[in-house]
Amino acid sequence: MHILAALALGVLFGVGILISGMSNPAKILNFFDVAGTWDPSLAFVMGGGLMVNFIGYRLALARSKPVLMQAFELPTATQITPTLMGGAAVFGIGWGLSGFCPGGLIPVLAIGGGKPWIFLAGLIAGILAVRAVRARQALRPTSA
């Protein structure tokens, strides 16, 4: 049941990305081009997403437990760390340069040309690089 629910929600998200036009990298890049062909529609999509998320969290957390799980699994980290800031910066730079967001990339892979696949390769390379650095750091002896 969990897999079917995840699939249904993923399809709903993908359809929303396609309907809103957020699968078009030019639409994203035009949002960042405030001195040229600026397109503010991304701000409305983001605002709508934030509003739905805000309401959804309020409704979900009012329950004693989730519908399909035994307990809520909420993030516990509360600090803003250099790793978080660096990851956010790399995410923003990649999004601004390519026009692709990892979540919006998935529905585009089926209908797009080569550029989404190039972005996906870069995304996977970045994930593997971070994992390699973390593994190397874990092997370092700690100094007292």
Side-chain angles (χ1 to χ4, degrees):
M1 184 65 172
H2 294 99
I3 292 174
L4 291 176
L7 177 64
L9 292 172
V11 168
L12 179 64
F13 176 79
V15 168
I17 289 289
L18 292 171
I19 289 172
S20 67
M22 295 300 116
S23 59
N24 179 0
K27 193 163 194 64
I28 306 304
L29 295 174
N30 285 338
F31 175 75
F32 293 114
D33 187 9
V34 294
T37 58
W38 186 59
D39 179 0
S41 61
L42 176 59
F44 293 107
V45 172
M46 290 171 128
L50 287 171
M51 188 171 46
V52 168
N53 193 29
F54 178 81
I55 294 168
Y57 261 92
R58 296 283 181 239
L59 293 173
L61 295 178
R63 302 176 57 86
S64 61
K65 71 179 194 78
V67 175
L68 298 176
M69 300 291 288
Q70 293 303 315
F72 288 106
E73 295 180 23
L74 300 172
T76 57
T78 58
Q79 292 184 335
I80 298 175
T81 63
T83 303
L84 176 65
M85 295 299 292
V90 170
F91 174 89
I93 290 168
W95 192 27
L97 290 175
S98 69
F100 290 113
C101 170
L105 176 71
I106 295 169
V108 178
L109 288 173
I111 61 173
K115 289 182 182 181
W117 290 98
I118 293 169
F119 179 83
L120 179 63
L123 178 69
I124 291 170
I127 291 169
L128 294 175
V130 168
R131 286 185 180 176
V133 168
R134 285 188 175 169
R136 181 178 247 177
Q137 288 173 342
L139 294 176
R140 282 190 199 157
T142 58
S143 57

